[in-house]
Amino acid sequence: MPNSSLNSEQEIANQANEASFGDILSAFEQSHQPEGDAREGTVVAISGDTVFVDIGLKMEGSLPLAEFGGETPAAGDKLQASIKGRSGDGYYLLSRIKVQRPKDWSSLEKAFEEKSAIGGIVAAVVKGGLSVDVGVRAFMPASRSGARDVADMEKLVGQEISCRIIKLDVASEDVVVDRRAVLEEEEARAREQLFTTLKRDTVVRGTVRSLTDYGAFIDIGGLDGLLHVTDMSYGRVNKPSDLLSVGDSVEVQILKVDPARRRVSLGMKQLLPDPWTVAGEKYHQGDRVSGKVARVTDFGAFVELEAGLEGLIHLSEMSWSKKVRKPSDVVKPGDQVEAVVLGVNAIEKRLSLGLKQTLGDPWESAAARFPAGSIVEGPISSLTKFGAFVELGDGLEGMIHIGDMSAEKRLNHPKDMLKEGEAVRAQVLDVDTEKRRIRLGLKQLQPTSMDEYIAEHREGDVVTGRVADVSGGRMKIELGEGIQAVCRPADGKPGEEAVQESKPDLSALSSMLAARWKGGTPTPYMGSGRKEPARAGQVRSFRIVHLDPNQKKIELELAS
């Protein structure tokens, strides 16, 4: 044992009577703890930028937090450290750098040839880089320091680092070292180790490192994973920057690990419940809901009811009117709308909505609003080969068949008489609420010989007509070209009159004989006051009992 060690032990023994056992142990540890001794330690506390480690000695050791590469250790973590010395407070100064600083030029030459890492202490910031003590003064270019800027370089001053010699000239004592290469190798080893520990479905915390149009890269401890935009939220995300910013700390789930391609896929929405899992319980047919129009397609519009849950309003469910040709005529992206739930299929993730149902079904009151025979007005909305559609309001349309357009001429196509946008008056012919059809007619409003006849006569007028048919107790009477009436049945047998006991009225008989209508002659008296029974072809006198201009009906009775 060297003399210096014997002298130190002798001094300790001489002080045994005056010093406490603790003081003796402390002095012994200090004299017997050589610099560079490596030990396994346990992290016991963290205070500020210092980590305190139990290394099995009376006093703990202290490590700069900066040596952990941005990670923060936890109490109980195990680590390897070497003793560099002791602080004024008695703590052991530790270092995680496992390489030793060269002691001479031969050691430097060996490290240079083997390209091995060596230890050094950053002495100062100099022009173009840093001055590093690696046993001799060495220069480290700023680009090889691993620091991002001058401020980071200044933080390295006084720290022990690991570096590699990239230039060595013994003659001129010129040494250049590289820290960045060592850091990159350490990061690569850390990534390799991390790949072996990553498991699918594991939840980890990371930091947003960068954003792209298709996602975000998350640093999960020295390794970047891709968080694709489709895995950020169940709701629609237009761009990642709408949800995240560089530097954000996020919790993500590992979706896939590909060691061969060195890729990790991450997800955020997977940490939240899928809204479709409870959609069947939350939304029911007939429910009235509200949401924002997310997007519009050729066949309908998708409405976002909540994040990740959209319902489709089909084009056919947007309006009761048939004139809506595209969804964009009704709604636009961003519109806030109310709709009625028509159906929910949570398994297939489909939810059908109706917009027109919120306005009520106009067909429920169509029959009352448009009774047969009533007159309506509206523009022609469209023309087809078989007819024309007329807007009646509230999404209702009526159809004028080509056969009900004109009574005077035969039409080849509705456009021969009508055009889109033209306002027309029409008569309601029929309303079928079950089939949702309203039949209209134009020719029914055009004046006819029947309309003119009814307009020129009054109930009680006596007129002359030809008996066209006698059957079923009623007679069909022709009063003119295209004018037909019905004669009420007389008492007794059809077509017969009661016996007249009084003398015949010669003046009336003369006028009837003089009347001519379509080549016929009034029915003559048969004598003894009796009239000839009515039969087809006879011309007789009748009294108008009832006129119905709307239904175009005339009722008669035989004049006395």
Side-chain angles (χ1 to χ4, degrees):
M1 181 178 294
N3 292 334
S4 59
S5 298
L6 292 173
N7 294 336
S8 297
E9 291 180 2
Q10 185 63 43
E11 291 176 2
I12 293 173
N14 293 337
Q15 297 172 358
N17 294 329
E18 299 179 0
S20 66
F21 179 76
D23 293 335
I24 295 174
L25 180 60
S26 177
F28 178 81
E29 289 177 347
Q30 187 170 2
S31 62
H32 285 77
Q33 189 59 50
E35 181 179 345
D37 186 17
R39 284 178 170 267
E40 181 180 63
T42 303
V43 176
V44 294
I46 301 171
S47 177
D49 57 358
T50 303
V51 179
F52 295 94
V53 183
D54 180 3
I55 54 176
L57 300 176
K58 178 182 177 182
M59 296 295 292
E60 288 97 1
S62 65
L63 271 168
L65 185 60
E67 287 200 17
F68 288 84
E71 297 181 359
T72 302
D77 286 355
K78 302 290 185 180
L79 54 82
Q80 293 288 330
S82 59
I83 299 174
K84 298 192 299 181
R86 301 189 75 164
S87 66
D89 298 332
Y91 290 102
Y92 289 99
L93 299 176
L94 305 178
S95 172
R96 296 187 72 189
I97 304 295
K98 297 181 177 61
V99 294
Q100 298 294 324
R101 280 191 293 163
K103 295 181 172 58
D104 50 34
W105 283 101
S106 61
S107 299
L108 291 173
E109 289 178 324
K110 182 179 180 182
F112 179 60
E113 292 174 359
E114 297 177 353
K115 298 182 180 181
S116 58
I118 61 174
I121 297 177
V122 179
V125 176
V126 296
K127 183 178 180 180
L130 297 166
S131 174
V132 183
D133 182 1
V134 293
V136 298
R137 288 293 177 182
F139 173 71
M140 182 166 64
S143 61
R144 308 310 303 173
S145 67
R148 291 173 296 182
D149 49 34
V150 176
D152 279 352
M153 290 172 60
E154 291 176 348
K155 292 179 182 178
L156 292 175
V157 176
Q159 290 191 27
E160 187 171 2
I161 63 170
S162 180
C163 56
R164 179 178 290 118
I165 300 173
I166 57 176
K167 180 181 178 182
L168 177 66
D169 188 337
V170 177
S172 60
E173 297 186 357
D174 183 14
V175 182
V176 180
V177 294
D178 183 348
R179 174 176 177 255
R180 177 178 168 182
V182 176
L183 291 177
E184 290 174 349
E185 291 174 2
E186 291 177 352
E187 289 176 359
R189 285 193 295 269
R191 284 195 297 269
E192 290 294 330
Q193 184 177 3
L194 185 58
F195 262 110
T196 62
T197 60
L198 292 178
K199 302 295 181 183
R200 183 176 178 179
D201 297 332
T202 303
V203 178
V204 296
R205 180 163 287 279
T207 303
V208 178
R209 190 176 63 82
S210 63
L211 297 173
T212 67
D213 292 338
Y214 55 85
F217 286 95
I218 312 296
D219 183 353
I220 54 173
L223 181 67
D224 284 351
L226 173 62
L227 173 61
H228 197 271
V229 64
T230 57
D231 290 310
M232 290 183 176
S233 171
Y234 285 111
R236 184 171 296 276
V237 180
N238 294 322
K239 51 184 179 179
S241 58
D242 291 340
L243 289 183
L244 301 173
S245 299
V246 174
D248 285 353
S249 178
V250 294
E251 198 170 47
V252 292
Q253 180 176 325
I254 297 175
L255 304 181
K256 183 180 178 181
V257 179
D258 187 349
R261 302 174 68 183
R262 294 294 188 268
R263 291 182 180 178
V264 178
S265 299
L266 307 173
M268 280 179 59
K269 71 179 185 182
Q270 287 75 9
L271 300 178
L272 301 172
D274 187 343
W276 283 103
T277 58
V278 294
E281 301 175 1
K282 190 172 182 180
Y283 300 98
H284 306 88
Q285 185 175 354
D287 287 352
R288 200 179 185 98
V289 296
S290 62
K292 181 184 292 185
V293 177
R295 64 189 190 281
V296 178
T297 67
D298 292 337
F299 56 85
F302 288 90
V303 178
E304 185 180 53
L305 302 183
E306 58 182 87
L309 196 147
E310 294 181 351
L312 170 65
I313 303 177
H314 193 269
L315 176 62
S316 61
E317 303 298 342
M318 289 188 169
S319 173
W320 295 108
S321 174
K322 296 180 181 179
K323 70 177 182 178
V324 178
R325 293 181 174 85
K326 52 184 180 178
S328 58
D329 292 339
V330 181
V331 294
K332 298 288 189 297
D335 287 353
Q336 194 74 23
V337 298
E338 284 193 355
V340 172
V341 177
L342 304 181
V344 182
N345 189 331
I347 297 176
E348 296 183 4
K349 296 187 176 182
R350 293 181 179 178
L351 195 152
S352 301
L353 301 175
L355 187 63
K356 67 185 183 183
Q357 287 78 3
T358 61
L359 306 176
D361 188 350
W363 284 99
E364 294 178 357
S365 59
R369 291 175 58 194
F370 307 106
S374 61
I375 309 301
V376 295
E377 294 186 31
I380 302 294
S381 59
S382 62
L383 296 174
T384 65
K385 291 182 179 180
F386 57 83
F389 288 91
V390 180
E391 291 185 28
L392 301 179
D394 296 331
L396 296 180
E397 287 184 328
M399 195 273 285
I400 306 173
H401 192 271
I402 190 172
D404 290 314
M405 290 184 179
S406 176
E408 299 177 354
K409 60 180 179 179
R410 182 180 181 86
L411 302 176
N412 294 321
H413 193 282
K415 66 182 180 181
D416 295 338
M417 181 176 176
L418 302 171
K419 60 182 180 180
E420 288 190 18
E422 178 184 357
V424 297
R425 293 178 74 251
Q427 184 176 25
V428 177
L429 305 181
D430 180 59
V431 177
D432 190 334
T433 55
E434 291 186 3
K435 294 182 179 180
R436 295 177 179 263
R437 295 176 182 172
I438 298 177
R439 192 163 64 89
L440 307 176
L442 285 180
K443 71 180 184 181
Q444 288 77 5
L445 294 181
Q446 297 170 358
T448 63
S449 55
M450 175 68 84
D451 295 322
E452 294 174 356
Y453 190 91
I454 292 175
E456 294 172 355
H457 292 80
R458 298 289 183 271
E459 293 178 1
D461 288 355
V462 176
V463 296
T464 301
R466 179 190 296 274
V467 178
D469 181 61
V470 179
S471 62
R474 298 177 71 87
M475 292 184 290
K476 292 182 180 179
I477 312 299
E478 291 183 354
L479 299 176
E481 182 69 32
I483 306 171
Q484 290 191 345
V486 176
C487 182
R488 290 178 176 177
D491 294 337
K493 295 181 180 180
E496 294 184 355
E497 289 184 278
V499 177
Q500 301 293 326
E501 298 296 339
S502 60
K503 295 181 179 181
D505 186 346
L506 296 179
S507 63
L509 179 60
S510 298
S511 66
M512 290 181 67
L513 291 173
R516 296 293 185 199
W517 183 77
K518 291 186 178 181
T521 58
T523 301
Y525 278 84
M526 298 176 62
S528 303
R530 297 178 64 87
K531 291 182 179 179
E532 182 183 355
R535 63 178 181 273
Q538 289 181 341
V539 176
R540 304 290 292 266
S541 294
F542 302 91
R543 182 178 290 104
I544 297 175
V545 177
H546 180 67
L547 296 173
D548 188 341
N550 292 328
Q551 299 296 325
K552 301 182 187 297
K553 291 181 179 180
I554 303 175
E555 290 187 15
L556 308 173
E557 66 179 7
L558 285 167
S560 58

